[in-house]
Amino acid sequence: MEKAAASDADVVFLDLEDAVAPDEKDSARVKAIDALNNLNWSGKAVSVRINGLDTHYMYRDVIDVVEKAGKNLDLIMIPKVGTAADVYAVDMLVTQIEDALGYGKRIGFELIIETALGMQNITEIAGASRRNESLHFGVADYAASTRARVTTIGGINPDYLVLGDEDEQGHRTTDIGDMWHYAMARLVVAARANGLRPVDGPFGDFSDMEGYKAAARRAAVLGCEGKWAIHPNQIAAANEVMSPSEDEITRAKRILEAMEVAQKEGKGSVSLDGRMIDLASIKQAENLVGKAQAIAARTKS
Ligand code: GLV
Ligand code: MG
């Protein structure tokens, strides 16, 4: 927890759920409360992952953490969200504690979508509370819940491949597909349609940096804003992949300049380097430049 507080991660969550053995649930809660109250979290959003609503730990997690450390808590991460009512249940508890203790702030929610039920109900879940801030793809539990045939966290299964037709020499291409594509794309749509941030979850093999980066890049390309780091050595890679590159920023700025000229000339679309750009290009470029500016402002502070 000390390492996390001093790290370059933007958001840290302290886990009370699946990384904690059942007989350590009480002591983990005490340690998390102590860390919230006594470590320096400045410059970061700090969160606690409570146990799921299907356990008997969850009510105590919410009550103890919010009562004893709510002032230092930005977010609660709710795992295995299955229905909008799950979000309501936690919201109601948190609201009562915030009101009773007179906290003048609203603790936000990060929701992990990691069950077939959660994915099925993702639209209602995403809109279930004003506290909702982000949707996270929990690939490990999602694989377990859907009975996907994979045993690594966030890894791939080479059986998920497309075999090309034979060429003249009888060779066939094999392209491994991304078995998580549907889930990630679905999550990005539900998040964006409800004004939430989509975030990619864990990658278990922390010695495989290229594998981690490839997974992070796929998520970034689809629109995710971040990826979990389950080990300190994944943080720099996540920051690198999720930050727009110099080339992307330069091109986005050129698009904005070209469109400014076009608009002065009364044109809705023009060509830049032989490609058409239009009003949608402005929005894409503004997103990118805005993100780069937000990252730069954060790095300075
Ligand atoms: C995260 O909680 C996961 O199950 O991948
Ligand atoms: Mg999980």
Side-chain angles (χ1 to χ4, degrees):
M1 290 192 273
E2 277 163 19
K3 275 193 210 161
S7 74
D8 282 335
D10 297 313
V11 185
V12 172
F13 78 82
L14 309 179
D15 193 22
L16 304 180
E17 201 221 9
D18 282 358
V20 177
D23 55 1
E24 302 209 329
K25 292 291 183 190
D26 290 342
S27 63
R29 203 181 286 130
V30 171
K31 284 183 200 154
I33 291 167
D34 181 60
L36 286 169
N37 290 337
N38 295 311
L39 293 180
N40 179 4
W41 298 104
S42 57
K44 291 185 173 51
V46 62
S47 171
V48 167
R49 179 165 78 165
I50 59 173
N51 284 281
L53 279 83
D54 55 341
T55 71
H56 63 273
Y57 309 114
M58 168 264 167
Y59 80 98
R60 180 61 54 207
D61 292 342
V62 176
I63 291 169
D64 279 8
V65 171
V66 180
E67 278 191 357
K68 295 179 183 161
K71 284 198 179 126
N72 299 320
L73 185 68
D74 300 302
L75 300 157
I76 290 177
M77 178 176 266
I78 312 178
K80 301 184 182 72
V81 179
T83 66
D86 290 354
V87 181
Y88 175 78
V90 182
D91 192 338
M92 180 266 292
L93 259 180
V94 174
T95 300
Q96 291 204 14
I97 303 168
E98 281 177 348
D99 287 353
L101 299 189
Y103 291 160
K105 66 166 192 178
R106 182 168 70 206
I107 293 169
F109 286 170
E110 313 182 275
L111 311 175
I112 315 183
I113 303 300
E114 53 183 346
T115 60
L117 186 65
M119 193 57 80
Q120 175 170 272
N121 294 325
I122 193 165
T123 306
E124 293 76 26
I125 290 169
S129 168
R130 288 181 64 214
R131 295 180 189 273
N132 289 358
E133 299 209 5
S134 50
L135 298 182
H136 299 241
F137 180 49
V139 64
D141 273 300
Y142 187 75
S145 171
T146 56
R147 305 196 186 195
R149 294 176 72 166
V150 63
T151 49
T152 58
I153 296 182
I156 52 158
N157 185 333
D159 281 350
Y160 197 75
L161 62 76
V162 178
L163 196 56
D165 287 339
E166 280 185 11
D167 66 14
E168 276 155 24
Q169 282 78 43
H171 298 142
R172 306 183 72 172
T173 54
T174 52
D175 293 300
I176 297 178
D178 176 7
M179 62 188 287
W180 311 118
H181 174 77
Y182 164 77
M184 289 291 299
R186 182 74 196 86
L187 183 139
V188 170
V189 170
R192 294 299 183 197
N194 288 278
L196 311 180
R197 299 172 192 275
V199 178
D200 190 18
F203 187 84
D205 185 352
F206 51 81
S207 61
D208 179 9
M209 201 44 68
E210 285 314 306
Y212 177 84
K213 282 192 189 174
R217 275 191 213 105
R218 291 197 302 273
V221 166
L222 285 181
C224 281
E225 292 196 15
K227 179 161 178 67
W228 290 15
I230 49 115
H231 187 279
N233 76 6
Q234 293 179 335
I235 297 173
N239 283 335
E240 179 197 315
V241 173
M242 291 294 161
S243 306
S245 67
E246 283 302 321
D247 281 357
E248 285 174 302
I249 298 167
T250 308
R251 175 155 173 85
K253 286 186 175 158
R254 288 184 59 224
I255 289 174
L256 293 177
E257 281 159 19
M259 284 306 295
E260 208 181 307
V261 175
Q263 283 182 330
K264 280 196 189 124
E265 292 169 0
K267 294 181 193 155
S269 71
V270 282
S271 84
L272 179 68
D273 305 334
R275 294 181 197 160
M276 190 197 92
I277 53 172
D278 67 2
L279 289 176
S281 318
I282 299 188
K283 289 184 204 153
Q284 292 169 2
E286 279 174 349
N287 284 344
L288 225 131
V289 172
K291 183 188 275 192
Q293 283 167 347
I295 293 171
R298 202 189 126 70
T299 317
K300 264 188 239 130
S301 64

